[in-house]
Amino acid sequence: MRVPLVLDDAGAPLPGSYLGGKAANLIELARIGQPVPPFYVVTTRAFRQALDAQGLTERIARLLAAAADERALLEAGREVRAWLAAVPLGKELEAELTRVHAARGLADLPVAVRSSAADEDSSGQSFAGMHDSFLFVRGIAAVQAAVRRVWASAYNERALAYRRARGLALTDIAVAVVVQRMVDASRSGVLFTCDPATSSVHSVVVSALYGAGEGLVSGGLDADTFTVEKRGLALVSKVVDKSERMVARSGGDGLVREPVPEELRARPCLSDDEIRRVAQAGLAIELHFGRPQDVEFCFDAAGALFVVQARPVTNVAEYGPAAGNRIVWDNSNIIESYSGVTTPLTFSFIRRAYTIVYHCFAEVMGIAPRVVRANQRTFENMLGLVRGRVYYNLRSWYQLVRLFPGYRFNRRYMESMMGLKEPLDLEAEPPPPGFFKRWFVELPALLRLLARSAANFLRIQRLSDDFQRDFRRHYERWDALDFERLAPHELMALFHEMEDTLLWNWKAPIINDFYVMIHYGVLKKLCGTWCGDKTGALQNDLLSGEGGVESAEPARMLLRLAARAQAEPELRAAILTRRLEELPEFVADEARFAEFAREITRYLELYGFRCMNELMLEEFSLRDRPHLVYQVLRNYLALDDPAALDVNAMQAREQALRRDAEQRAFAALGRLSHRRLLFRRVLAGARRGVKNRENMRFARTRIYGLVRELLRACGKRLAAEGLLAEREDVFYLTVDELWDFVRGTATCTDLAGLARVRQAEFARYRAGESSRPDDRFDTFGMAYHKNTFQNPRAAEPLPTDGKLRGIGCSPGVIEGPVRVLASPSDDLSLKKEILVAERTDPGWVPLYPAVSGILIERGSILSHSAVVAREMGIPTIVGITGLMKLVKDGDRVRMDGTAGTVERVGG
């Protein structure tokens, strides 16, 4: 390869050893379209050729090698600088310099002549301020002299000391030189695409002042500081009084200090728009180079932005990765199902389930198979696991919604259904469609989607009934099997049968979820506009007392069992006083309690698959821990209130609430028949959809219970074979690892060792509550490498007036003490306190009859806790920011389930 002596900014790329870090970076900046002032590079080949022509290469190497101490090294450097200051450039280089200087239009313009040593501006060392730069150089003769002086500066005291301190070679120095048009800067500055003070990669920090950048880099002048968040470009400013600036001398041959005009001193030197322009340029540079960058920039008098140079931030390990591969993680309403640390087996199972179910969703919505195949990675990455906790990968969810017509409309519904507190700002939103695409592509696609949805909505009940019938048929067959009698390969075949039979046919629940989203949203709108509801609670009251919600039936059955025990004093005394763990065996062995024991057995047959955190496969079900049934019965009996155990009275309360809401709604509608008719249709649809939704979710809970038992049976068999230390270790494998071992495709056959490693890792996650990831955060680069999993934005402020606010889901005003439950391992005894929890799932429902109210930190209006609480007439508020921080066990509070407010009362 013929390496030129002088390369202009449009020349072919060269290895960095010929350009140096600074010049190589400038060429890349120009190539990616950054506004770099015109420049050219005197390559290291020119430097070496000039030295070789005078026999200096070997002389310099011998002189520096012989320098035994610092003093000798400095003396040697002084001698080398004298040689280089006088070295002839040679006719070939002089000719090339003259030609390129004129071709770049620089003959009559001032230029900057700067060093670009072969190892300068790299990620390991910047050489910032070590070599000499010469500004406002005019004329080719002056440029040639400046090139010699830059070469010589590679051997000055600062540069040689820097090299020796960092262990760099002294005998193989090669210097390229950048010659660049000077910009008469009105404002200048430096930006870091990471925060040097905090090591955060989530912010861009800009320092800027009036005049030339030398006032900031070497002049020590005061500068304004601007911090810009990468997410959303939110801006924080710190403006200082800027008394001086550095500007070009008259004639443009140097810089002088001068006072900043009085009217400008306390004003920010950059506008908000200019700051964001600089930040966006910095982010583009960071994204291209793949690591945090230190960028120098300036604006001229006309407001044009120029990027003067960019280099990696040194000691990059302190700052983490750059903007590339940004992923936004959010646990919003998924924390209702997967709170705390989730094991690898559960995560791998649900990740697989989400992939399959959303394939079905795309099919239901009419997305072409070729489009689904092209977006396979999107479907496979709906979820992520961070320090053992499950998160939505929001970028994948938005990319999924983009597959459907009407993206801008649909994304708002998705954000609402997911309970997102803030939408995702995508860096590359699709441009608005043009006329042809809007009317001849998107409109027909949207009409097809609406027609398909309308057809599905018309047969929603039949679809739901068919689903439930098919589900019960398969479930009863599977539930009758003794999993512990099956070999691992038979369990694997059964697992895949469940997957193929149910997951790949999960269309009815998907259609119904869409149906609920539409009808509930319309009902809420009509309650506000037609019925004058200002509280936002009327639609919730109208949905109470629907009946037929299967997920509420376990609690009702337990209430009937408690009422039976209440009528038998000896049984009641035993449940209230005996040790919980011994109660199942005691009741089963007592002939006088035989009928009650049979009812308990029946309950466990029907609902024993349930547990708190019931979508986490590693949790123990009621069949594994039957004494927990007696804990719930003890709660009910401890109320010592027969009316509280009256299921009919509970249902009557629900119906009364429903009738009252209907009277208020239809009274407001008046006699306008078309409004009443439409309202009735929407209300009936919302009730039908919510009931079907809960019942199909109950089916999901049933199948999770079967899968849990199947996997435990497999774990027991592997432990018996000595492949695992114990049965529960199976939850520290992934689904693929487990079945690959069975079928002979495993890449790791030491299952016990793999489980031990995972157990140790996940134990650290459980113990490290202080390092728990935030509810929402960004990662860059490799998600698990050099990311903090923290949200750099200030935490949402907690209320200062002592009143907490959430979403009122079930009406009623209750005052009383609270009982805070953090996990299923807590003492679950309850006696009409107000239940406080971070989140709940269907497994919590048996606790509800023993409480007077429910307060949940996480959750949405359609979350399970809200739906079932309405069915049971229990005042409930969800989505209460700061609940678990501000309310402690035993506090006395007053809650308003309509207004959605909570406040402490008394001391």
Side-chain angles (χ1 to χ4, degrees), residues 86-108:
V87 69
L89 298 183
K91 292 183 179 181
E92 183 184 5
L93 176 55
E94 288 179 353
E96 277 295 291
L97 272 174
T98 303
R99 182 185 65 79
V100 175
H101 194 76
R104 300 304 294 138
L106 302 175
D108 299 319

Side-chain angles (χ1 to χ4, degrees), residues 85-356:
V87 69
L89 298 183
K91 292 183 179 181
E92 183 184 5
L93 176 55
E94 288 179 353
E96 277 295 291
L97 272 174
T98 303
R99 182 185 65 79
V100 175
H101 194 76
R104 300 304 294 138
L106 302 175
D108 299 319
L109 296 176
V111 296
V113 183
R114 292 189 171 98
S115 68
S116 181
D119 43 8
E120 188 174 355
D121 282 0
S122 66
S123 60
Q125 47 270 334
S126 68
F127 281 89
M130 298 299 160
H131 303 143
D132 294 339
S133 297
F134 302 94
L135 308 179
F136 296 96
V137 179
R138 287 178 179 268
I140 191 61
V143 168
Q144 292 173 356
V147 167
R148 294 188 189 91
R149 294 168 68 187
V150 169
W151 287 348
S153 72
Y155 298 90
N156 65 32
E157 296 178 2
R158 299 186 306 274
L160 291 175
Y162 183 84
R163 284 182 176 278
R164 171 163 284 185
R166 299 181 75 85
L168 301 175
L170 299 178
T171 57
D172 189 28
I173 297 173
V175 184
V177 180
V178 175
V179 180
Q180 187 172 39
R181 178 170 72 82
M182 287 292 304
V183 177
D184 189 4
S186 63
R187 283 86 41 80
S188 304
V190 175
L191 75 86
F192 286 86
T193 62
C194 54
D195 190 332
T198 65
S199 299
S200 170
V201 297
H202 300 282
S203 302
V204 171
V205 178
V206 180
S207 295
L209 40 55
Y210 292 111
E214 278 67 25
L216 178 64
V217 175
S218 57
L221 301 183
D222 291 330
D224 296 332
T225 301
F226 310 98
T227 301
V228 186
E229 288 188 13
K230 291 179 180 177
R231 173 151 55 95
L233 297 182
L235 174 64
V236 177
S237 303
K238 180 182 178 182
V239 179
V240 300
D241 186 69
K242 300 168 286 295
S243 58
E244 288 187 296
R245 61 184 176 183
M246 296 183 75
V247 297
R249 277 197 185 107
S250 177
D253 58 352
L255 293 171
V256 295
R257 290 178 182 247
E258 70 171 27
V260 173
E262 189 70 34
E263 67 274 13
L264 297 180
R265 290 185 177 185
R267 288 169 51 185
C269 62
L270 300 179
S271 68
D272 288 358
D273 178 66
E274 288 172 329
I275 297 165
R276 291 191 173 95
R277 283 169 59 195
V278 170
Q280 287 170 330
L283 290 176
I285 295 168
E286 179 188 68
L287 184 60
H288 176 73
F289 286 107
R291 60 198 327 154
Q293 297 289 305
D294 168 0
V295 181
E296 294 183 22
F297 67 91
C298 64
F299 287 91
D300 66 12
L305 170 65
F306 294 93
V307 174
V308 179
Q309 69 178 45
R311 55 181 171 235
V313 176
T314 53
N315 297 322
V316 71
E318 297 178 11
Y319 298 99
N325 192 38
R326 177 192 175 208
I327 304 175
V328 182
W329 305 97
D330 191 301
N331 66 5
S332 289
N333 61 13
I334 201 168
I335 198 175
E336 294 181 49
S337 300
Y338 303 99
S339 66
V341 173
T342 300
T343 61
L345 191 60
T346 291
F347 175 71
S348 62
F349 175 75
I350 63 174
R351 182 188 176 201
R352 185 186 188 114
Y354 269 70
T355 300
I356 295 171

Side-chain angles (χ1 to χ4, degrees), residues 484-504:
E484 294 191 2
R485 295 176 64 89
L486 299 180
H489 69 276
E490 294 172 315
L491 292 170
M492 178 181 68
L494 183 59
F495 177 92
H496 290 311
E497 181 188 342
M498 292 178 180
E499 183 178 274
D500 294 340
T501 304
L502 291 181
L503 282 182
W504 283 106

Side-chain angles (χ1 to χ4, degrees), residues 342-349 385 731-735 758 762:
T342 300
T343 61
L345 191 60
T346 291
F347 175 71
S348 62
F349 175 75
L385 193 68
F731 294 107
Y732 291 91
L733 309 175
T734 68
V735 169
R758 294 254 178 82
F762 279 70

